[in-house]
């Protein structure tokens, strides 16, 4: 139950209010979600770069010093998932106990190899790998492969948790790069139950804010899709990031309609992430902004706030910042540069206002009901 610790914890909730304002950051892959969170936090704590980088939700809250925690699933959960995946693929298997240990992993790898050899011989494997019409089966195959690859990666790290426990790893500031290695490896994603960060928030960012970096909604890996229904039940605010060079993609439209169906439109804030090294001239920027605003309203059936930001600003060196400003100036787009430069500050101010206004009586009662139900379930 790691994701419900903030609900169950009694501290810091006067009048039944939540201790944190949960802000989920959503969008399609490579839209700049992790970069935006880095910009809001004023430091590089989310992995970014070429290729897909976010494979699990990462929860960031304020702390006096930088610290992180990785909580893995207990072996019993992984055993149940592996048994399900083998069974649904037509290769039922009695999964050995304590899958984190080498003997169990060797038996599972042998069973997977036998299944893949047999299904390759009769042509099933190509269909399973293709996905589409075989969605659930493709998902089972992907999860099976990734889970076993992740367990093998842990074996190479000589990681041997105690049987029956949910392994938990803690990282202080000096070991933060090791934490990032856990977030940046796709094969470890099925093993991770919860990723959390404690970060000293910069001035202007409310201490009650919790920023949750979510997986890309259209990742090629089906394990990466954000759970919209769960987010709808828990989000106080959703930051929806749109990449300026691409505008709204089909994956954006699908996800936005899902969010609207969940009744989340009133909680949405859109962020137009303007590419730092492809500065737009004023006319092109206005056209793009108008187009994105119209597309968002068309998907959500109502207008929502839109902030244009340069998510890289403030994270680069002074030399790089000067180079970027030179690009804007040569295009005669200083007004656009100023708008996207100030966008991050405006976004922080809006988040602060939302934190102040969160948990009206109806939501406070809903929160208390959720907490009571969880306590009963745990009991």
């Amino acid at each position: 139950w790691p994701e419900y610790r903030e609900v169950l914890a009694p501290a810091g909730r006067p009048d039944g209010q939540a201790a944190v304002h949960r802000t989920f950051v959503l969008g399609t892959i490579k839209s700049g979600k992790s970069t935006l969170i880095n910009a809001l936090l004023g430091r590089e704590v989310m992995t970014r770069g070429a290729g897909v980088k976010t494979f699990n939700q990462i929860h960031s809250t304020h702390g006096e010093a930088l610290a992180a925690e990785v909580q893995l699933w207990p072996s019993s959960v992984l055993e149940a998932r592996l048994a399900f995946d083998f069974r649904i693929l037509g290769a039922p298997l009695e999964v050995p106990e304590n899958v984190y240990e080498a003997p169990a992993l060797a038996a599972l790898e042998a069973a997977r190899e036998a299944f893949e050899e047999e299904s390759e011989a009769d042509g099933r494997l190509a269909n399973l790998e293709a996905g589409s019409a075989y969605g659930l089966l493709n998902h089972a195959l992907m999860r099976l492969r990734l889970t076993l690859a992740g367990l093998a990666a842990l074996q190479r790290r000589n990681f041997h948790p105690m049987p029956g426990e949910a392994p938990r790893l803690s990282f202080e500031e000096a070991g933060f790069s090791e934490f990032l290695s856990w977030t940046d490896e796709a094969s470890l994603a099925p093993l991770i139950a919860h990723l959390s960060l404690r970060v000293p928030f910069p001035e202007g960012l409310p201490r009650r804010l919790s920023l949750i970096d979510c997986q890309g909604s259209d990742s090629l890996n089906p394990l990466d899709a954000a759970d919209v229904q769960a987010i709808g039940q828990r989000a106080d605010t959703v930051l929806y990031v749109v990449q300026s060079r691409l505008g709204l993609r089909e994956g954006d439209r699908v996800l936005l309609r899902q969010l609207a169906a969940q009744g989340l439109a009133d909680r949405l804030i859109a962020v137009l992430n303007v590419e730092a090294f492809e500065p737009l001239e004023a006319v092109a920027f206005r056209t793009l902004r108008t187009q994105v605003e119209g597309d968002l309203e068309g998907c959500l059936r109502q207008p929502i706030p839109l902030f244009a930001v340069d998510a890289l600003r403030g994270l680069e060196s002074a030399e790089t910042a000067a180079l970027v400003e030179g690009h804007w100036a040569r295009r005669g787009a200083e007004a656009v540069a100023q708008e996207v430069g100030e966008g991050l500050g405006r976004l922080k101010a809006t988040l602060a206002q939302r934190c102040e206004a969160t948990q009206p009586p109806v939501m406070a009662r809903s929160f208390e009901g959720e907490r009571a139900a969880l306590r009963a379930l745990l009991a």
Side-chain angles (χ1 to χ4, degrees):
W1 298 80
E3 65 269 35
Y4 290 115
R5 283 178 298 179
E6 65 188 41
V7 175
L8 293 167
R13 295 190 171 87
D15 304 320
Q17 293 188 353
V20 294
H21 179 99
R22 292 173 291 200
T23 301
F24 288 80
V25 183
L26 297 181
T28 49
I29 56 172
K30 308 315 298 174
S31 54
K33 301 181 296 299
S34 299
T35 306
L36 175 66
I37 292 178
N38 285 337
L40 287 169
L41 296 175
R43 62 170 74 193
E44 296 268 6
V45 294
M46 302 293 175
T47 305
R48 63 184 180 88
V52 178
K53 291 294 181 182
T54 306
F55 298 100
N56 296 83
Q57 288 185 7
I58 305 176
H59 297 240
S60 300
T61 53
H62 171 69
E64 294 305 316
L66 184 63
E69 182 179 281
V70 177
Q71 184 164 1
L72 304 185
W73 293 110
S75 180
S76 58
V77 171
L78 299 179
E79 290 161 26
R81 285 183 179 174
L82 289 164
F84 175 83
D85 291 339
F86 273 111
R87 186 170 67 251
I88 200 171
L89 290 169
L93 176 72
E94 187 170 338
V95 176
E97 294 183 358
N98 197 11
V99 295
Y100 285 107
E101 292 301 323
L105 178 58
L108 290 165
E109 285 283 18
R112 179 192 61 79
E113 289 174 6
F115 162 74
E116 293 199 14
E117 287 176 6
E118 180 183 331
S119 57
E120 185 173 23
D122 63 20
R124 282 180 295 153
L125 189 61
N127 289 330
L128 290 173
E129 290 176 330
S132 61
Y134 302 89
L136 184 57
L137 297 178
N138 174 264
H139 185 281
L141 179 62
M142 288 283 292
R143 185 167 67 176
L144 178 62
R145 286 174 169 175
L146 282 171
T147 301
L148 296 184
L151 291 170
L154 294 189
Q155 289 290 324
R156 292 192 295 273
R157 296 184 185 198
N158 293 315
F159 183 76
H160 302 286
M162 293 294 292
E165 293 185 2
R168 183 177 297 178
L169 301 93
S170 297
F171 304 89
E172 301 302 325
E173 190 156 1
F176 192 72
S177 60
E178 188 178 350
F179 166 77
L180 292 178
S181 73
W182 283 86
T183 71
D184 195 27
E185 191 170 335
S187 66
L188 295 176
L191 311 183
I192 294 174
H194 191 73
L195 293 168
S196 60
L197 285 173
R198 292 279 181 180
V199 185
F201 280 9
E203 188 173 349
L205 201 63
R207 300 297 185 261
R208 285 185 54 234
L209 187 67
S210 172
L211 289 168
I212 299 111
D213 191 11
C214 294
Q215 309 94 309
S217 61
D218 59 348
S219 170
L220 298 177
N221 179 354
L223 304 180
D224 292 344
D227 187 340
V228 176
Q229 186 171 5
I231 289 171
Q233 294 168 350
R234 306 186 67 231
D236 297 304
T237 293
V238 173
L239 292 184
Y240 196 91
V241 184
V242 179
Q243 209 265 1
S244 65
R245 187 162 39 85
L246 300 172
L248 258 67
R249 293 174 273 183
E250 185 56 32
D252 290 306
R253 298 176 198 279
V254 170
L255 181 54
L256 286 165
R257 292 187 187 109
Q258 289 178 317
L259 294 170
Q262 288 287 314
L264 289 178
D266 288 335
R267 293 184 236 172
L268 255 68
I269 297 174
V271 179
L272 182 60
N273 182 24
V274 179
E275 288 284 288
F277 288 100
E278 293 188 17
L280 294 168
E281 296 177 0
V283 174
F285 175 75
R286 299 299 168 203
T287 300
L288 173 64
R289 182 170 186 134
T290 300
Q291 179 66 50
V292 170
E293 287 174 335
D295 287 345
L296 289 167
E297 185 172 352
C299 293
L300 299 169
R301 304 300 180 192
Q302 68 178 67
I304 64 169
L306 175 64
F307 294 85
V309 307
D310 176 356
L312 283 174
R313 196 168 297 219
L315 291 176
E316 304 291 358
S317 65
E319 294 80 5
T320 304
L323 182 64
V324 172
E325 294 296 340
H327 282 312
W328 288 104
R330 281 193 293 276
R331 292 203 173 206
E334 290 90 346
V336 178
Q338 182 175 353
E339 181 172 343
V340 299
E342 296 172 351
L344 203 63
R346 296 192 187 106
L347 179 58
K348 286 182 181 179
T350 299
L351 289 172
Q353 291 170 2
R354 292 207 172 195
C355 280
E356 288 294 321
T358 44
Q359 302 297 335
V362 172
M363 288 191 70
R365 287 195 296 273
S366 171
F367 173 80
E368 287 302 315
E370 180 184 4
R371 184 160 64 178
L374 284 168
R375 281 176 171 159
L377 283 168
L378 289 174

